[in-house]
Amino acid sequence: MPTSLDKSLASADAHISDANEPKRSNGAAKEVTQAYSKGEKTPLASHTNPKSKPGITFAAQDKLAQLPIPELESTCKKYLSALKPLQTIREHQNTEDAIQEFLRAEGPDLQERLKKYATGKSSYIEQFWYDSYLNFDNPVVLNLNPFFLLEDDPTPARNNQVTRAASLVVSALSFVRAVRKEELPPDTLRGQPLCMYQYSRLFGTARIPTENGCQIGQDPTAKHIVVLARGQFYWFDVLDDNSDLIMTEKDVALNLQVIVDDAVQTPIHEAAKGAVGVLSTENRKTWSGLRDVLSRDEGSNNSDCLNIVDSALFILCLDYTEPTTGADLCMNMLCGSSEVEKGVQIGTCTNRWYDKMQIIVCKNGSAGINFEHTGVDGHTVLRFASDVYTDTILRFARSINGQAPSLWASSSPDPSKRDPSSFGDVSTTPHKLEWDMVPELSTALRFAETRLADLINQNEFQTLDFMQYGKNYMTSQGFSPDAFVQMAFQAAYYGLYGRVECVYEPAMTKLYHHGRTEAVRSVTVESVDFVTTFWGENPPAQKIELLKKACEKHTAITRDCAKAQGHDRHLYALFCVWQRSIDEEGAEAASSNGMDSNGYSSPQDGLSERDPSSAIGSPGRTSMLSEEGSVNAPSPTHAHSAHAMPTIFADSGWDKINNTILSTSNCGNPSLRQFGFGPTSGDGFGIGYIIKDGSVSICASSKHRQTKRFVNAIEQYFLEIRKLLKMTQRRGTSSDKNATKAREAEELRPKSKRMKGRGRLVGATDGKPGILTPHQEESAAASDDEDLGGYGFFDAGMLRQALKASQEGPERPSEKAVARREVGKKLRLMEY
């Protein structure tokens, strides 16, 4: 039976309060990590890895600095700045007044209560963070769980379902082994080790619903996986008691093929009627009651089946479909497909268990990861996905050359050469779980499926694989890539709707002990100045200048948030401290002061995938993870201020900042094709994006808010802003310093008089046709850009500026005339 994470948290906090605990600082954490050898810190850099001493994974945990509680005045100032571009003058004045009152009255008292509460705890926000997730009652699918879509295996022959799945499973198990043996090198940022606590919560973990909220359970000794095929459940052991692999990739593939062959024996229409995994998509209270039904009958298999699923290392989902488009693949990884045939759901949405991490593999080998988000953030699962993808490639390389490097400091003994008796008490033969489908469960399953199908059909997904440029080009122009892309989202939205809305982006705070994320509020006065100027008849130089200022501001805010100096988490913790004092005094005392439910809950329908503070728990509700200790009750002199909602939270600005319209997250690397999540509000977009060296991948979701049109607008912005950058640059300047060094060297080389002897120069020079020079390639690309997308970004003023530029530019007369004619035609067409 999975054990509650509550005990682990309590023991961690007990350790923190130890008087003999070593001093925490980033320097101390870095120092202890440096004590390990280079081979232990970067196993891949060494072809023959030395024997590793265990412990490097969590070596710095006791030295990492505590997550700091920001100064109250600083937090309020930043909060006010974040709201300014989103409010009218009168609204902003009201918020200023509310903040001044808060700083004068309740604020200092709540700050002191928070500091007292945080004493001896891993993090001042951690418990509130867990509660915000675990008290969430709506289905986790499309509301909480994000997904990663992996790139295809680079060896085409391995891109079939069973081969790809077996390869991913073996690599995932190697990662599990490295974590358990504490040989996984810690994440670092510029040499500084990051908190690795989340990796201990990645495997053998399950979200378990109860009547009073969910709890996180974990079996730290789990050694089996559960496989889902056509909605049917199978399991087999994959590790021994030492966390060594007991099956080769060939053995795993054989088991998976046996499972696929067995699952197909049950007609899909029949299998759908017993697809118990659909129940994990229900409302959490409903799902809690159904779990009681599953396990209440004595002699039933269901209780054992639940334990096997809950305690598995992870779930492997083998889908029988082959999605081809990017949007369909993303939908399949996030929520599965919905397809009703003869009144029965046969889509892949029935082949899931959303309370655990799932590795999903389609029939054609396309693979992804869907994960339960309570205990782990995207950065942690990204490391897992990246290492798994890398290991599949390196293992294939070692099958060609045994001297190829390994990602791991040490490896399991070859299972094929071990004595079977050394495996211990294991079962490597697949077992099928047989659920006892009593009538009450069958009825509940049918209703759960129809509600899930509704939920899926209420959402839509679109992807953009922008291949024209990426990080290299953005940095060559002097921009932070993340800030550059964030401005694209705001500009595209403003171009469609003529207004700015609240934008959310997470910044990682894992530099600190048990750090998670801080909220970056991307809309600033500078970004609004830019988007309004961009859409007006203004000179290109002015637009680019304002873009630079907006990006610089965004970068500065992001750096502040990475240092845990943002305002969101701090204010949310203060809100929770106040709410706890209300809960302790009783809901009756609160209601007597005229409070309603709006005082406790966010206006959002859903909870942001990266922002748990956007949903506020209900009064009187504590999760299964709530600590026994509590905030001190208010003194009599503060009784009235404790029960009346603090002015900062009663102000309309609090609702506005927590109603995220563009929920965005930058998470990925070349191992991923896409990353995404559902929208966090009924009228918003969920935007996951990956910035690669030469491209940008975006997955956008919404509840049918013209998602395709929005994605097209982002693409058009990318193309238009590149044109503006070129218009403001000196002709002939390289646009990509990483891609044209060889061409620049060619241009600088002294011209030889013996050109004929060396062959004719192939290029469009001297009026001769041929291969385009770099400058001409850029001009041609800019010309091609004009014909892309559903609508143009040009107005008459911009075209006149382009015409003037073509007349004053350094082109030869023949080229100038051509450019003038082309721009003139566009100008006449636009004015017409």
Side-chain angles (χ1 to χ4, degrees):
M1 188 72 175
T3 57
S4 173
L5 186 60
D6 197 18
K7 295 179 181 178
S8 301
L9 280 175
S11 62
D13 290 340
H15 172 72
I16 289 171
S17 61
D18 189 344
N20 297 321
E21 182 197 3
K23 184 178 179 181
R24 292 180 175 275
S25 69
N26 287 343
K30 189 172 183 178
E31 183 179 346
V32 72
T33 307
Q34 295 299 330
Y36 287 79
S37 70
K38 183 178 180 181
E40 290 166 326
K41 290 185 289 186
T42 54
L44 189 56
S46 175
H47 286 265
T48 55
N49 298 325
K51 183 173 178 58
S52 172
K53 61 176 181 179
I56 188 172
T57 305
F58 305 107
Q61 287 301 107
D62 291 340
K63 301 291 193 300
L64 289 170
Q66 289 291 116
L67 190 73
I69 299 177
E71 293 297 323
L72 184 61
E73 292 78 6
S74 174
T75 289
C76 289
K77 183 178 179 181
K78 291 171 183 176
Y79 173 67
L80 198 59
S81 296
L83 278 172
K84 186 175 182 179
L86 299 172
Q87 293 179 311
T88 65
I89 295 176
R90 176 172 292 183
E91 287 173 338
H92 195 62
Q93 183 60 55
N94 291 339
T95 298
E96 285 183 332
D97 294 342
I99 289 176
Q100 289 302 317
E101 176 64 18
F102 177 72
L103 288 173
R104 186 191 65 80
E106 312 97 339
D109 180 61
L110 288 177
Q111 178 81 343
E112 288 306 310
R113 289 171 179 272
L114 178 61
K115 289 180 179 179
K116 187 178 295 185
Y117 163 82
T119 303
K121 289 184 169 55
S122 302
S123 159
Y124 78 88
I125 191 68
E126 183 171 38
Q127 191 61 52
F128 302 138
W129 187 283
Y130 279 120
D131 288 345
S132 65
Y133 274 106
L134 296 173
N135 286 335
F136 185 70
D137 288 333
N138 288 336
V140 296
V141 59
L142 280 164
N143 290 313
L144 291 186
N145 289 27
F147 79 91
F148 289 142
L149 175 63
L150 296 172
E151 286 284 4
D152 289 340
D153 194 299
T155 52
R158 296 165 65 84
N159 275 317
N160 65 78
Q161 186 177 58
V162 169
T163 305
R164 183 84 193 276
S167 178
L168 291 172
V169 166
V170 170
S171 294
L173 295 176
S174 297
F175 190 95
V176 173
R177 180 183 183 275
V179 171
R180 287 184 172 179
K181 291 185 177 293
E182 300 185 18
E183 294 176 348
L184 185 74
D187 297 326
T188 59
L189 181 64
R190 292 185 288 275
Q192 181 67 44
L194 305 180
C195 182
M196 297 292 286
Y197 174 73
Q198 293 180 31
Y199 291 92
S200 67
R201 300 289 169 236
L202 198 53
F203 306 105
T205 305
R207 181 187 180 114
I208 301 174
T210 73
E211 182 61 26
N212 295 312
C214 293
Q215 65 174 337
I216 295 296
Q218 183 179 31
D219 182 357
T221 63
K223 54 186 181 181
H224 68 279
I225 64 172
V226 166
V227 182
L228 274 168
R230 293 179 178 253
Q232 300 163 74
F233 290 73
Y234 303 81
W235 71 273
F236 56 91
D237 287 323
V238 287
L239 299 176
D240 63 15
D241 291 336
N242 294 320
S243 297
D244 287 326
L245 279 69
I246 58 175
M247 303 183 76
T248 64
E249 183 177 338
K250 186 176 180 180
D251 294 332
V252 175
L254 181 62
N255 270 8
L256 298 183
Q257 189 60 60
V258 168
I259 289 172
V260 170
D261 292 343
D262 181 81
V264 79
Q265 299 302 313
T266 304
I268 192 166
H269 291 77
E270 289 300 315
K273 297 176 183 178
V276 178
V278 172
L279 298 178
S280 69
T281 70
E282 265 287 13
N283 173 282
R284 303 310 292 179
K285 282 189 177 180
T286 303
W287 177 208
S288 170
L290 292 172
R291 282 181 66 103
D292 291 342
V293 172
L294 277 168
S295 54
R296 72 185 177 193
D297 294 332
E298 292 185 12
S300 170
N301 293 327
N302 293 338
S303 182
D304 288 340
C305 290
L306 275 176
N307 288 340
I308 289 171
V309 174
D310 288 339
S311 61
L313 286 162
F314 53 83
I315 305 287
L316 174 66
C317 304
L318 301 177
D319 289 349
Y320 76 95
T321 59
E322 299 182 81
T324 53
T325 68
D328 287 345
L329 277 167
C330 289
M331 180 179 73
N332 192 64
M333 300 305 166
L334 182 61
C335 59
S337 62
S338 175
E339 182 182 353
V340 178
E341 187 177 280
K342 297 180 180 179
V344 178
Q345 178 63 255
I346 61 171
T348 59
C349 64
T350 63
N351 200 46
R352 300 286 185 270
W353 189 272
Y354 286 101
D355 289 343
K356 294 181 67 68
M357 184 172 70
Q358 305 171 93
I359 298 176
I360 303 166
V361 185
C362 302
K363 190 175 181 180
N364 58 3
S366 295
I369 298 171
N370 183 294
F371 60 98
E372 204 287 314
H373 196 19
T374 302
V376 294
D377 295 316
H379 180 266
T380 301
V381 184
L382 175 63
R383 167 75 185 274
F384 168 67
S386 301
D387 282 7
V388 165
Y389 186 81
T390 302
D391 185 60
T392 60
I393 298 172
L394 292 176
R395 279 191 295 105
F396 178 69
R398 287 197 298 277
S399 70
I400 301 172
N401 180 351
Q403 299 303 310
S406 171
L407 194 60
W408 317 115
S410 68
S411 300
S412 295
D414 187 346
S416 64
K417 298 178 181 178
R418 288 178 60 180
D419 181 352
S421 62
S422 67
F423 293 162
D425 182 17
V426 297
S427 179
T428 58
T429 303
H431 293 68
K432 184 175 182 177
L433 297 181
E434 300 287 352
W435 303 88
D436 295 327
M437 296 302 297
V438 297
E440 188 176 353
L441 278 180
S442 297
T443 302
L445 194 152
R446 184 170 72 253
F447 293 152
E449 180 277 311
T450 56
R451 280 189 281 268
L452 173 60
D454 272 349
L455 190 59
I456 293 173
N457 290 323
Q458 289 165 9
N459 293 268
E460 64 177 358
F461 310 89
Q462 290 294 331
T463 60
L464 170 64
D465 291 308
F466 184 77
M467 306 303 293
Q468 277 73 12
Y469 61 86
K471 180 177 71 175
N472 288 345
Y473 176 76
M474 298 171 195
T475 54
S476 74
Q477 301 300 308
F479 294 102
S480 156
D482 182 70
F484 188 93
V485 174
Q486 281 288 326
M487 294 310 115
F489 299 150
Q490 292 186 42
Y493 191 92
Y494 187 90
L496 285 176
Y497 300 105
R499 63 179 185 270
V500 293
E501 300 277 15
C502 185
V503 181
Y504 169 85
E505 180 190 9
M508 179 182 66
T509 58
K510 288 170 73 174
L511 278 168
Y512 302 97
H513 188 242
H514 286 217
R516 297 287 296 256
T517 63
E518 177 57 85
V520 178
R521 296 299 176 179
S522 304
V523 177
T524 61
V525 171
E526 290 81 0
S527 72
V528 173
D529 286 345
F530 164 65
V531 297
T532 53
T533 301
F534 175 82
W535 282 100
E537 295 189 15
N538 300 294
Q542 182 183 358
K543 296 179 180 182
I544 297 303
E545 181 62 28
L546 290 177
L547 172 62
K548 289 180 178 178
K549 290 181 179 179
C551 288
E552 288 168 359
K553 181 65 174 180
H554 181 86
T555 301
I557 293 175
T558 303
R559 286 174 179 164
D560 246 9
C561 290
K563 296 175 184 176
Q565 294 301 311
H567 62 81
D568 265 67
R569 303 301 184 243
H570 184 202
L571 286 178
Y572 178 61
L574 293 174
F575 181 94
C576 291
V577 168
W578 171 78
Q579 184 177 322
R580 276 197 169 198
S581 66
I582 294 297
D583 291 345
E584 289 169 1
E585 297 260 331
E588 184 177 348
S591 62
S592 67
N593 283 275
M595 298 193 59
D596 57 27
S597 61
N598 290 332
Y600 295 96
S601 59
S602 165
Q604 291 179 240
D605 294 326
L607 174 63
S608 170
E609 183 271 324
R610 254 135 315 269
D611 189 9
S613 61
S614 64
I616 309 301
S618 302
R621 169 76 62 76
T622 56
S623 79
M624 293 301 291
L625 279 181
S626 295
E627 301 169 40
E628 293 180 3
S630 60
V631 183
N632 291 337
S635 61
T637 57
H638 291 89
H640 175 73
S641 61
H643 292 306
M645 176 176 281
T647 54
I648 192 172
F649 305 127
D651 176 66
S652 63
W654 180 248
D655 288 338
K656 185 177 286 289
I657 204 72
N658 284 303
N659 184 26
T660 300
I661 301 302
L662 297 183
S663 182
T664 71
S665 183
N666 174 9
C667 187
N669 58 34
S671 69
L672 302 186
R673 287 177 62 183
Q674 291 287 355
F675 150 67
F677 45 93
T680 62
S681 64
D683 54 351
F685 292 91
I687 307 170
Y689 59 105
I690 305 170
I691 307 173
K692 301 179 183 179
D693 286 348
S695 62
V696 181
S697 298
I698 296 172
C699 175
S701 63
S702 79
K703 295 187 181 297
H704 294 278
R705 268 203 71 183
Q706 301 189 84
T707 312
K708 183 175 178 61
R709 190 176 184 183
F710 179 54
V711 166
N712 287 341
I714 296 171
E715 180 181 32
Q716 284 293 317
Y717 168 86
F718 281 142
L719 298 173
E720 174 61 18
I721 206 68
R722 182 174 67 174
K723 292 179 199 165
L724 295 179
L725 286 166
K726 289 174 182 175
M727 292 171 69
T728 59
Q729 290 174 337
R730 181 172 57 86
R731 286 292 187 179
T733 301
S734 168
S735 64
D736 188 344
K737 62 184 179 183
N738 296 312
T740 61
K741 292 297 184 183
R743 292 291 185 94
E744 290 179 12
E746 176 72 16
E747 293 173 3
L748 295 173
R749 190 166 63 84
K751 307 300 180 187
S752 172
K753 296 180 180 179
R754 297 182 60 252
M755 291 301 297
K756 186 174 182 180
R758 295 185 179 183
R760 179 174 61 83
L761 181 65
V762 182
T765 58
D766 298 325
K768 298 178 182 180
I771 297 176
L772 297 178
T773 64
H775 169 66
Q776 291 164 325
E777 285 177 345
E778 292 174 10
S779 300
S783 176
D784 292 341
D785 291 349
E786 295 173 7
D787 298 325
L788 296 177
Y791 60 90
F793 272 71
F794 293 96
D795 56 32
M798 293 170 63
L799 283 166
R800 287 194 187 93
Q801 293 160 12
L803 176 59
K804 183 178 180 181
S806 71
Q807 293 170 336
E808 296 176 352
E811 296 94 338
R812 291 179 296 277
S814 60
E815 294 178 345
K816 185 194 301 182
V818 172
R820 216 167 32 237
R821 284 197 299 272
E822 291 298 314
V823 176
K825 283 192 287 186
K826 289 184 178 292
L827 178 60
R828 289 191 295 275
L829 179 62
M830 181 63 70
E831 290 181 330
Y832 173 77

